[in-house]
Amino acid sequence: MCSVDRVSGLLSVDEALAVVLERASALPAEAVPVEHAAGRVLARSPRAATAVPPFASSAMDGFAVRAAECPGTLPVAIRIPAGRPADRPLRSGEAMGIATGGAVPEGADAVVPLERVVDHGDRIDVPSAVLRGDNVRPAGGDVEAGAPVLPEGSRLGAAQLAALAAAGVAVAECPRRPRLSVLVTGTELRAPGTRLQPGEIYESNAAMLAALLAGFGAVVERRAAVADDEAAHRSALEEALAADVVVSSGGVSVGPHDLVRRTAAELGVEELFWGVAMRPGKPLSFGVRRRTLVFGLPGNPVSSLVGALLFVGPALLALQGAADPAPRWHVGELATPIRRHPGRDDYARARWQSRERPGVLEPIRGQESHMIVRAATADVLLHVPRGEGELPAGATVRYLPLP
Ligand code: AMP
Ligand code: MG
Protein backbone atom coordinates (compact mmCIF):
# COMPACT_ATOMS: atom_id res chain seq x y z
CA MET A 1 0.00 0.00 0.00
CA CYS A 2 2.70 2.51 0.91
CA SER A 3 6.45 2.39 0.85
CA VAL A 4 8.36 1.95 4.07
CA ASP A 5 11.78 3.25 5.01
CA ARG A 6 14.20 0.56 3.81
CA VAL A 7 16.51 0.92 6.79
CA SER A 8 14.11 1.33 9.67
CA GLY A 9 11.02 -0.39 8.29
CA LEU A 10 8.98 2.59 9.46
CA LEU A 11 6.52 4.76 7.56
CA SER A 12 7.47 8.40 7.11
CA VAL A 13 5.22 10.96 8.78
CA ASP A 14 3.76 11.97 5.40
CA GLU A 15 3.06 8.36 4.43
CA ALA A 16 1.44 7.66 7.78
CA LEU A 17 -0.70 10.80 7.50
CA ALA A 18 -1.83 9.73 4.02
CA VAL A 19 -2.97 6.37 5.43
CA VAL A 20 -4.91 8.15 8.20
CA LEU A 21 -6.57 10.66 5.89
CA GLU A 22 -7.60 7.97 3.44
CA ARG A 23 -9.78 6.53 6.24
CA ALA A 24 -11.09 9.86 7.52
CA SER A 25 -13.89 10.87 5.18
CA ALA A 26 -16.47 13.45 6.19
CA LEU A 27 -19.17 12.38 8.64
CA PRO A 28 -22.87 12.82 7.70
CA ALA A 29 -24.00 16.44 7.52
CA GLU A 30 -26.45 18.12 9.87
CA ALA A 31 -28.15 21.52 9.91
CA VAL A 32 -26.29 23.97 12.15
CA PRO A 33 -27.62 27.44 13.04
CA VAL A 34 -24.99 29.91 11.88
CA GLU A 35 -24.66 31.39 15.37
CA HIS A 36 -23.44 27.96 16.56
CA ALA A 37 -21.31 27.12 13.54
CA ALA A 38 -17.96 28.68 14.50
CA GLY A 39 -15.14 26.33 13.48
CA ARG A 40 -17.43 24.03 11.50
CA VAL A 41 -16.92 23.17 7.83
CA LEU A 42 -19.49 23.55 5.06
CA ALA A 43 -20.76 20.25 3.62
CA ARG A 44 -22.57 22.18 0.88
CA SER A 45 -22.07 25.61 -0.58
CA PRO A 46 -24.89 27.87 0.66
CA ARG A 47 -26.58 30.24 -1.81
CA ALA A 48 -27.12 33.89 -0.97
CA ALA A 49 -30.74 34.47 0.09
CA THR A 50 -30.31 38.10 -0.97
CA ALA A 51 -27.85 40.22 -2.90
CA VAL A 52 -25.23 41.92 -0.72
CA PRO A 53 -25.83 44.80 -0.47
CA PRO A 54 -29.52 44.05 -1.11
CA PHE A 55 -30.06 47.51 -2.72
CA ALA A 56 -27.82 50.30 -4.02
CA SER A 57 -26.67 52.05 -0.86
CA SER A 58 -24.62 55.03 0.13
CA ALA A 59 -20.99 54.58 1.18
CA MET A 60 -20.93 57.98 2.93
CA ASP A 61 -23.04 60.42 4.88
CA GLY A 62 -23.93 63.02 2.25
CA PHE A 63 -26.39 63.87 -0.52
CA ALA A 64 -27.82 61.73 -3.32
CA VAL A 65 -27.63 63.64 -6.61
CA ARG A 66 -27.48 63.26 -10.37
CA ALA A 67 -23.79 63.54 -11.22
CA ALA A 68 -24.56 65.46 -14.42
CA GLU A 69 -26.19 68.25 -12.37
CA CYS A 70 -23.00 68.97 -10.39
CA PRO A 71 -21.39 71.37 -9.72
CA GLY A 72 -24.44 73.47 -8.83
CA THR A 73 -26.91 74.51 -6.15
CA LEU A 74 -29.63 71.93 -5.39
CA PRO A 75 -32.65 72.10 -3.06
CA VAL A 76 -32.71 69.30 -0.43
CA ALA A 77 -36.00 67.41 -0.94
CA ILE A 78 -35.80 64.72 1.80
CA ARG A 79 -33.23 63.44 4.31
CA ILE A 80 -33.11 59.61 4.07
CA PRO A 81 -32.07 57.69 7.21
CA ALA A 82 -30.57 54.16 7.12
CA GLY A 83 -33.31 51.54 7.17
CA ARG A 84 -36.05 53.65 5.54
CA PRO A 85 -35.89 54.40 1.81
CA ALA A 86 -37.22 57.63 0.23
CA ASP A 87 -40.88 57.39 -0.71
CA ARG A 88 -40.29 58.78 -4.21
CA PRO A 89 -37.54 59.00 -6.83
CA LEU A 90 -35.07 61.90 -6.98
CA ARG A 91 -36.31 64.53 -9.42
CA SER A 92 -34.15 66.48 -11.77
CA GLY A 93 -32.44 69.43 -10.10
CA GLU A 94 -32.77 68.28 -6.48
CA ALA A 95 -30.69 66.47 -3.83
CA MET A 96 -31.68 64.15 -0.99
CA GLY A 97 -29.79 63.87 2.29
CA ILE A 98 -28.61 60.30 2.85
CA ALA A 99 -26.83 58.38 5.65
CA THR A 100 -24.16 55.72 5.20
CA GLY A 101 -26.00 52.52 4.28
CA GLY A 102 -29.14 54.41 3.22
CA ALA A 103 -30.93 53.30 0.04
CA VAL A 104 -29.88 55.49 -2.89
CA PRO A 105 -33.17 56.71 -4.39
CA GLU A 106 -34.18 55.94 -7.92
CA GLY A 107 -33.08 58.74 -10.21
CA ALA A 108 -29.86 59.42 -8.25
CA ASP A 109 -26.56 58.10 -9.56
CA ALA A 110 -24.02 59.46 -7.06
CA VAL A 111 -23.58 60.54 -3.47
CA VAL A 112 -21.62 63.70 -2.60
CA PRO A 113 -20.08 63.41 0.88
CA LEU A 114 -21.11 65.98 3.53
CA GLU A 115 -17.62 67.41 3.66
CA ARG A 116 -17.71 68.20 -0.08
CA VAL A 117 -20.83 70.43 0.04
CA VAL A 118 -21.93 73.65 1.72
CA ASP A 119 -25.15 72.76 3.57
CA HIS A 120 -27.64 75.64 3.86
CA GLY A 121 -30.38 73.44 5.37
CA ASP A 122 -32.93 73.72 2.57
CA ARG A 123 -30.32 73.59 -0.23
CA ILE A 124 -26.69 72.60 -0.83
CA ASP A 125 -23.90 74.04 -2.92
CA VAL A 126 -21.85 71.38 -4.66
CA PRO A 127 -18.70 73.25 -5.71
CA SER A 128 -17.01 70.58 -7.81
CA ALA A 129 -17.79 67.92 -10.40
CA VAL A 130 -19.14 64.51 -9.38
CA LEU A 131 -18.75 61.21 -11.27
CA ARG A 132 -21.61 58.76 -11.82
CA GLY A 133 -21.38 56.00 -9.22
CA ASP A 134 -19.35 58.04 -6.73
CA ASN A 135 -19.95 56.69 -3.21
CA VAL A 136 -22.72 54.35 -4.36
CA ARG A 137 -22.38 50.68 -3.40
CA PRO A 138 -24.19 48.81 -6.17
CA ALA A 139 -26.70 46.11 -5.23
CA GLY A 140 -24.98 42.71 -5.39
CA GLY A 141 -21.51 44.29 -5.47
CA ASP A 142 -20.32 41.82 -2.80
CA VAL A 143 -22.41 38.81 -3.88
CA GLU A 144 -25.44 38.39 -6.17
CA ALA A 145 -28.67 36.83 -4.91
CA GLY A 146 -28.60 33.06 -5.48
CA ALA A 147 -24.83 32.92 -5.96
CA PRO A 148 -22.69 30.60 -3.78
CA VAL A 149 -21.53 32.50 -0.68
CA LEU A 150 -18.60 30.20 0.19
CA PRO A 151 -17.33 27.00 -1.40
CA GLU A 152 -18.03 23.58 0.08
CA GLY A 153 -15.22 22.64 2.47
CA SER A 154 -14.80 26.18 3.82
CA ARG A 155 -14.04 26.40 7.52
CA LEU A 156 -16.33 28.87 9.26
CA GLY A 157 -14.10 31.40 10.98
CA ALA A 158 -15.22 34.84 12.03
CA ALA A 159 -15.37 36.44 8.57
CA GLN A 160 -17.07 33.40 7.03
CA LEU A 161 -19.83 33.46 9.68
CA ALA A 162 -20.42 37.14 8.95
CA ALA A 163 -20.53 36.44 5.19
CA LEU A 164 -23.27 33.82 5.69
CA ALA A 165 -25.25 36.13 7.96
CA ALA A 166 -24.91 39.07 5.54
CA ALA A 167 -26.23 36.92 2.71
CA GLY A 168 -29.23 35.91 4.84
CA VAL A 169 -28.10 32.32 5.44
CA ALA A 170 -29.39 31.29 8.89
CA VAL A 171 -28.58 27.58 8.82
CA ALA A 172 -25.50 25.85 7.37
CA GLU A 173 -25.08 22.20 6.42
CA CYS A 174 -21.96 20.85 8.14
CA PRO A 175 -20.63 17.35 8.76
CA ARG A 176 -21.39 16.50 12.37
CA ARG A 177 -18.61 16.84 14.92
CA PRO A 178 -16.73 13.59 15.63
CA ARG A 179 -17.24 11.93 19.02
CA LEU A 180 -13.83 11.09 20.45
CA SER A 181 -12.95 8.90 23.39
CA VAL A 182 -9.69 9.51 25.28
CA LEU A 183 -8.39 6.43 27.02
CA VAL A 184 -5.16 6.59 29.04
CA THR A 185 -3.47 3.39 30.11
CA GLY A 186 -0.93 2.61 32.84
CA THR A 187 -1.19 1.02 36.29
CA GLU A 188 1.24 3.66 37.58
CA LEU A 189 -1.06 6.60 36.83
CA ARG A 190 -2.78 8.59 39.57
CA ALA A 191 -4.97 11.66 39.34
CA PRO A 192 -3.34 14.92 40.45
CA GLY A 193 -4.64 15.89 43.89
CA THR A 194 -4.17 12.38 45.30
CA ARG A 195 -1.06 11.10 47.13
CA LEU A 196 1.52 9.18 45.11
CA GLN A 197 2.76 5.81 46.33
CA PRO A 198 6.26 4.70 45.34
CA GLY A 199 6.43 3.98 41.62
CA GLU A 200 3.36 6.00 40.76
CA ILE A 201 3.20 9.17 38.68
CA TYR A 202 0.53 11.72 37.99
CA GLU A 203 -1.60 11.20 34.93
CA SER A 204 -1.17 14.13 32.55
CA ASN A 205 -2.18 13.01 29.07
CA ALA A 206 -5.96 12.98 29.40
CA ALA A 207 -6.28 16.70 30.13
CA MET A 208 -3.81 17.52 27.36
CA LEU A 209 -5.43 15.34 24.71
CA ALA A 210 -8.96 16.40 25.65
CA ALA A 211 -8.09 20.11 25.37
CA LEU A 212 -6.03 19.72 22.21
CA LEU A 213 -8.57 17.60 20.36
CA ALA A 214 -11.61 19.60 21.47
CA GLY A 215 -9.74 22.48 19.81
CA PHE A 216 -9.87 20.48 16.57
CA GLY A 217 -13.66 20.23 16.90
CA ALA A 218 -14.08 16.83 18.59
CA VAL A 219 -16.78 16.17 21.18
CA VAL A 220 -14.48 14.60 23.74
CA GLU A 221 -15.34 11.93 26.27
CA ARG A 222 -12.66 11.32 28.91
CA ARG A 223 -12.54 7.88 30.43
CA ALA A 224 -10.94 6.80 33.73
CA ALA A 225 -7.30 5.65 33.51
CA VAL A 226 -7.03 1.96 32.63
CA ALA A 227 -4.71 -0.41 34.52
CA ASP A 228 -2.29 -2.61 32.55
CA ASP A 229 -4.56 -5.60 32.81
CA GLU A 230 -6.19 -7.43 29.92
CA ALA A 231 -9.75 -7.42 31.23
CA ALA A 232 -9.59 -3.72 32.09
CA HIS A 233 -8.21 -2.91 28.63
CA ARG A 234 -10.82 -5.01 26.92
CA SER A 235 -13.84 -3.46 28.62
CA ALA A 236 -12.55 0.11 28.36
CA LEU A 237 -11.63 -0.25 24.69
CA GLU A 238 -14.89 -1.98 23.82
CA GLU A 239 -16.86 0.94 25.26
CA ALA A 240 -14.57 3.53 23.70
CA LEU A 241 -15.04 1.95 20.27
CA ALA A 242 -18.59 3.28 20.15
CA ALA A 243 -17.04 6.70 19.36
CA ASP A 244 -15.97 7.92 15.91
CA VAL A 245 -12.37 8.21 17.09
CA VAL A 246 -10.54 6.45 19.90
CA VAL A 247 -7.28 7.95 21.15
CA SER A 248 -5.38 5.88 23.67
CA SER A 249 -2.12 6.76 25.33
CA GLY A 250 0.49 4.32 26.57
CA GLY A 251 0.84 0.60 26.11
CA VAL A 252 1.82 0.56 22.43
CA SER A 253 5.50 -0.43 22.84
CA VAL A 254 6.90 -3.94 23.04
CA GLY A 255 6.88 -4.49 26.81
CA PRO A 256 4.88 -7.24 28.54
CA HIS A 257 2.44 -4.60 29.87
CA ASP A 258 1.80 -3.05 26.48
CA LEU A 259 -1.67 -4.40 25.80
CA VAL A 260 -3.38 -1.81 23.64
CA ARG A 261 -2.60 -3.20 20.19
CA ARG A 262 -3.29 -6.80 21.07
CA THR A 263 -6.57 -5.98 22.81
CA ALA A 264 -7.64 -3.74 19.95
CA ALA A 265 -6.93 -6.54 17.46
CA GLU A 266 -8.99 -8.97 19.55
CA LEU A 267 -11.86 -6.50 19.43
CA GLY A 268 -11.75 -6.38 15.64
CA VAL A 269 -9.58 -3.32 15.06
CA GLU A 270 -7.61 -3.71 11.83
CA GLU A 271 -4.15 -2.21 12.37
CA LEU A 272 -2.98 -0.20 9.35
CA PHE A 273 0.41 0.79 10.70
CA TRP A 274 2.53 0.69 13.81
CA GLY A 275 5.68 2.75 13.92
CA VAL A 276 6.46 6.07 12.28
CA ALA A 277 9.96 7.39 11.51
CA MET A 278 9.61 10.27 13.93
CA ARG A 279 10.97 11.39 17.28
CA PRO A 280 9.34 11.55 19.72
CA GLY A 281 6.43 9.18 19.24
CA LYS A 282 7.80 6.37 17.08
CA PRO A 283 5.61 3.46 18.27
CA LEU A 284 2.37 5.18 17.28
CA SER A 285 -0.30 2.81 15.99
CA PHE A 286 -3.31 3.43 13.79
CA GLY A 287 -6.19 1.15 12.88
CA VAL A 288 -9.87 1.10 12.08
CA ARG A 289 -12.93 -0.82 13.16
CA ARG A 290 -15.61 -0.17 10.57
CA ARG A 291 -15.71 3.67 10.49
CA THR A 292 -14.08 4.16 13.89
CA LEU A 293 -10.50 5.44 13.75
CA VAL A 294 -8.23 4.10 16.48
CA PHE A 295 -5.01 5.91 17.40
CA GLY A 296 -2.59 4.35 19.88
CA LEU A 297 -0.29 7.12 21.05
CA PRO A 298 2.81 6.32 23.11
CA GLY A 299 2.44 7.25 26.79
CA ASN A 300 5.28 9.70 27.20
CA PRO A 301 3.45 13.00 27.35
CA VAL A 302 5.46 14.79 24.66
CA SER A 303 5.10 11.78 22.35
CA SER A 304 1.36 11.88 22.88
CA LEU A 305 1.27 15.61 22.19
CA VAL A 306 3.24 15.32 18.95
CA GLY A 307 1.29 12.30 17.71
CA ALA A 308 -2.03 14.00 18.43
CA LEU A 309 -0.97 17.18 16.62
CA LEU A 310 0.45 15.45 13.56
CA PHE A 311 -2.19 12.75 13.06
CA VAL A 312 -5.29 12.97 15.24
CA GLY A 313 -5.95 16.68 14.69
CA PRO A 314 -5.83 16.36 10.89
CA ALA A 315 -8.07 13.27 11.04
CA LEU A 316 -10.63 15.25 13.05
CA LEU A 317 -10.58 18.07 10.51
CA ALA A 318 -11.06 15.57 7.68
CA LEU A 319 -14.01 13.92 9.48
CA GLN A 320 -15.53 17.39 9.68
CA GLY A 321 -15.10 17.83 5.94
CA ALA A 322 -12.11 20.18 5.79
CA ALA A 323 -10.78 20.52 2.25
CA ASP A 324 -7.14 20.60 3.38
CA PRO A 325 -6.82 18.90 6.77
CA ALA A 326 -3.01 18.40 6.83
CA PRO A 327 -1.01 20.45 9.35
CA ARG A 328 -0.32 23.99 8.15
CA TRP A 329 3.40 24.38 8.41
CA HIS A 330 4.95 27.81 8.68
CA VAL A 331 8.45 28.60 7.50
CA GLY A 332 11.04 30.07 9.85
CA GLU A 333 14.71 30.28 10.62
CA LEU A 334 16.71 28.29 13.12
CA ALA A 335 18.44 30.49 15.73
CA THR A 336 20.88 27.89 17.07
CA PRO A 337 22.19 24.65 15.56
CA ILE A 338 20.33 21.41 16.27
CA ARG A 339 21.52 17.80 15.83
CA ARG A 340 19.68 15.64 13.35
CA HIS A 341 18.66 12.04 13.83
CA PRO A 342 19.95 9.84 11.00
CA GLY A 343 16.82 7.71 10.67
CA ARG A 344 13.88 9.69 12.02
CA ASP A 345 12.43 13.15 11.63
CA ASP A 346 12.57 15.13 14.84
CA TYR A 347 9.73 17.27 16.10
CA ALA A 348 11.60 19.51 18.51
CA ARG A 349 10.00 22.00 20.84
CA ALA A 350 11.18 25.55 20.23
CA ARG A 351 10.52 29.12 21.23
CA TRP A 352 10.38 32.36 19.31
CA GLN A 353 13.74 34.00 19.87
CA SER A 354 11.76 37.09 20.79
CA ARG A 355 8.22 38.33 20.29
CA GLU A 356 9.64 40.83 17.77
CA ARG A 357 11.21 38.02 15.75
CA PRO A 358 8.54 35.30 15.80
CA GLY A 359 9.97 33.45 12.80
CA VAL A 360 13.37 32.90 14.44
CA LEU A 361 13.27 29.73 16.49
CA GLU A 362 15.39 28.50 19.35
CA PRO A 363 15.02 24.86 20.43
CA ILE A 364 14.31 24.66 24.18
CA ARG A 365 16.54 22.79 26.59
CA GLY A 366 15.17 19.40 27.59
CA GLN A 367 13.99 17.59 24.48
CA GLU A 368 13.26 14.23 26.09
CA SER A 369 9.83 12.80 25.55
CA HIS A 370 8.86 12.67 29.23
CA MET A 371 9.66 16.38 29.72
CA ILE A 372 6.20 17.88 29.42
CA VAL A 373 7.06 20.70 31.84
CA ARG A 374 9.89 21.85 29.56
CA ALA A 375 7.71 21.33 26.49
CA ALA A 376 5.08 23.56 28.08
CA THR A 377 7.46 26.52 27.69
CA ALA A 378 7.62 26.09 23.90
CA ASP A 379 5.79 28.16 21.29
CA VAL A 380 6.14 25.80 18.35
CA LEU A 381 6.90 22.30 17.15
CA LEU A 382 9.93 22.45 14.89
CA HIS A 383 10.44 19.92 12.11
CA VAL A 384 14.04 18.72 11.91
CA PRO A 385 14.30 16.37 8.91
CA ARG A 386 16.37 13.25 9.41
CA GLY A 387 19.98 13.38 8.19
CA GLU A 388 23.59 13.44 9.18
CA GLY A 389 25.24 16.04 11.40
CA GLU A 390 23.39 19.14 12.44
CA LEU A 391 21.12 21.79 10.99
CA PRO A 392 23.14 25.02 11.24
CA ALA A 393 21.96 28.32 12.68
CA GLY A 394 20.17 30.26 9.95
CA ALA A 395 18.75 27.12 8.31
CA THR A 396 15.22 27.41 6.93
CA VAL A 397 12.86 25.22 8.96
CA ARG A 398 9.16 24.34 9.05
CA TYR A 399 7.20 24.73 12.26
CA LEU A 400 3.70 24.37 13.68
CA PRO A 401 2.53 26.83 16.32
CA LEU A 402 1.51 24.94 19.46
CA PRO A 403 -2.14 25.62 20.27
P1 AMP B 1 4.13 3.61 27.79
O1 AMP B 1 3.92 4.20 26.45
O2 AMP B 1 2.90 3.03 28.40
O3 AMP B 1 5.27 2.64 27.78
O4 AMP B 1 4.56 4.80 28.74
C1 AMP B 1 5.76 5.51 28.50
C2 AMP B 1 6.03 6.45 29.64
O5 AMP B 1 5.00 7.43 29.69
C3 AMP B 1 6.04 5.80 31.02
O6 AMP B 1 7.03 6.44 31.79
C4 AMP B 1 4.67 6.11 31.56
O7 AMP B 1 4.64 6.11 32.93
C5 AMP B 1 4.41 7.46 30.98
N1 AMP B 1 2.97 7.69 30.80
C6 AMP B 1 2.12 6.85 30.18
N2 AMP B 1 0.88 7.34 30.19
C7 AMP B 1 0.94 8.51 30.84
C8 AMP B 1 -0.02 9.50 31.18
N3 AMP B 1 -1.31 9.36 30.84
N4 AMP B 1 0.40 10.59 31.85
C9 AMP B 1 1.69 10.73 32.17
N5 AMP B 1 2.65 9.86 31.87
C10 AMP B 1 2.29 8.75 31.22
MG1 MG C 1 2.33 2.00 30.03
Side-chain angles (χ1 to χ4, degrees):
M1 174 178 50
C2 37
S3 67
V4 291
D5 183 295
R6 272 175 223 289
V7 183
S8 62
L10 303 173
L11 289 185
S12 74
V13 167
D14 287 346
E15 287 166 334
L17 181 60
V19 173
V20 169
L21 293 180
E22 197 182 312
R23 298 302 179 121
S25 43
L27 292 168
E30 62 183 6
V32 186
V34 166
E35 69 264 34
H36 295 133
R40 302 290 291 269
V41 175
L42 290 173
R44 266 176 282 290
S45 171
R47 306 268 157 178
T50 170
V52 181
F55 47 85
S57 64
S58 176
M60 302 287 278
D61 290 324
F63 292 88
V65 297
R66 298 184 186 200
E69 295 175 355
C70 301
T73 296
L74 304 168
V76 177
I78 303 175
R79 293 188 184 250
I80 309 163
R84 206 147 23 92
D87 54 8
R88 65 167 179 79
L90 184 87
R91 292 179 193 133
S92 174
E94 67 181 18
M96 287 183 183
I98 193 165
T100 303
V104 174
E106 235 178 276
D109 58 14
V111 170
V112 195
L114 276 183
E115 48 277 34
R116 301 234 337 254
V117 306
V118 183
D119 189 351
H120 299 288
D122 60 341
R123 69 198 145 78
I124 54 168
D125 298 329
V126 184
S128 34
V130 172
L131 295 176
R132 282 190 68 177
D134 273 2
N135 302 304
V136 175
R137 303 165 171 166
D142 200 5
V143 69
E144 299 282 0
V149 185
L150 294 165
E152 179 186 322
S154 302
R155 188 161 188 276
L156 300 177
Q160 292 74 26
L161 292 171
L164 293 181
V169 178
V171 175
E173 290 284 306
C174 306
R176 68 173 172 78
R177 293 170 64 189
R179 287 170 297 122
L180 179 146
S181 200
V182 171
L183 195 152
V184 298
T185 73
T187 301
E188 73 281 20
L189 305 175
R190 287 291 167 273
T194 58
R195 213 183 152 78
L196 291 182
Q197 300 301 318
E200 296 176 345
I201 62 166
Y202 287 123
E203 195 287 302
S204 62
N205 287 345
M208 174 179 75
L209 294 171
L212 178 72
L213 300 172
F216 280 94
V219 179
V220 177
E221 177 199 45
R222 272 175 69 168
R223 312 187 63 85
V226 184
D228 295 323
D229 155 300
E230 286 195 25
H233 268 58
R234 174 174 271 276
S235 65
L237 252 176
E238 181 61 79
E239 280 178 31
L241 281 164
D244 300 303
V245 182
V246 178
V247 177
S248 66
S249 88
V252 286
S253 301
V254 290
H257 306 295
D258 292 329
L259 304 170
V260 167
R261 297 172 59 223
R262 192 190 335 143
T263 314
E266 286 166 9
L267 291 171
V269 175
E270 177 197 355
E271 188 168 89
L272 296 173
F273 64 77
W274 174 57
V276 181
M278 62 191 269
R279 187 176 70 169
K282 177 177 81 164
L284 186 145
S285 72
F286 173 67
V288 292
R289 189 174 81 167
R290 294 189 283 279
R291 287 205 59 176
T292 299
L293 310 183
V294 184
F295 294 89
L297 305 179
N300 274 307
V302 183
S303 307
S304 263
L305 175 67
V306 172
L309 265 175
L310 295 183
F311 299 107
V312 188
L316 292 171
L317 297 182
L319 290 171
Q320 291 169 91
D324 185 9
R328 302 200 168 190
W329 294 97
H330 299 229
V331 175
E333 186 189 317
L334 193 60
T336 51
I338 187 166
R339 280 204 72 75
R340 298 208 276 178
H341 187 285
R344 290 191 263 152
D345 284 15
D346 237 315
Y347 292 88
R349 278 70 64 209
R351 274 221 290 257
W352 312 124
Q353 198 173 51
S354 75
R355 287 282 153 192
E356 285 69 47
R357 305 186 71 201
V360 183
L361 301 162
E362 201 168 5
I364 61 167
R365 283 170 183 276
Q367 292 282 344
E368 288 169 63
S369 62
H370 65 287
M371 292 184 164
I372 191 63
V373 175
R374 305 290 184 97
T377 66
D379 298 310
V380 307
L381 200 61
L382 181 70
H383 178 215
V384 183
R386 66 185 100 172
E388 297 304 326
E390 58 182 27
L391 272 190
T396 299
V397 281
R398 299 194 311 162
Y399 68 91
L400 274 184
L402 286 166

